[in-house]
Amino acid sequence: MTVKVRLSGEPAQIAAVVELLRERYETAGGDRAYPNRGAFGVRVYLEVRPTTLPATAPASAPTQTSTGDSGRQS
């Protein structure tokens, strides 16, 4: 399974995040930064693939954390 990722922000912060991702995952790309159009900072594209999948962690569905009001008016 490969996940495509786009990071956007300050160049130094993006470089730090890319380095952390490379320590934990197989990565491709992330070597070239593109200036953001109409915004500050840069963007970097990379592909991330887990090196190993956890054998003991069960897959779980996301849980809903809000209670009650759905935001609708009657």
Side-chain angles (χ1 to χ4, degrees):
M1 169 180 71
T2 300
V3 177
K4 294 184 179 186
V5 178
R6 181 182 96 165
L7 300 171
S8 178
E10 294 296 327
Q13 293 173 335
I14 290 176
V17 170
V18 168
E19 184 61 33
L20 289 172
L21 289 171
R22 287 188 173 148
E23 290 174 6
R24 177 76 168 97
Y25 303 101
E26 292 179 26
T27 62
D31 299 324
R32 184 166 179 200
Y34 301 90
N36 281 332
R37 296 182 203 126
F40 72 94
V42 297
R43 64 189 186 280
V44 171
Y45 300 92
L46 62 150
E47 293 184 9
V48 178
R49 182 180 316 157
T51 53
T52 59
L53 295 175
T56 58
S60 61
T63 58
Q64 185 175 359
T65 56
S66 64
T67 57
D69 187 10
S70 64
R72 294 184 188 169
Q73 294 180 346
S74 20

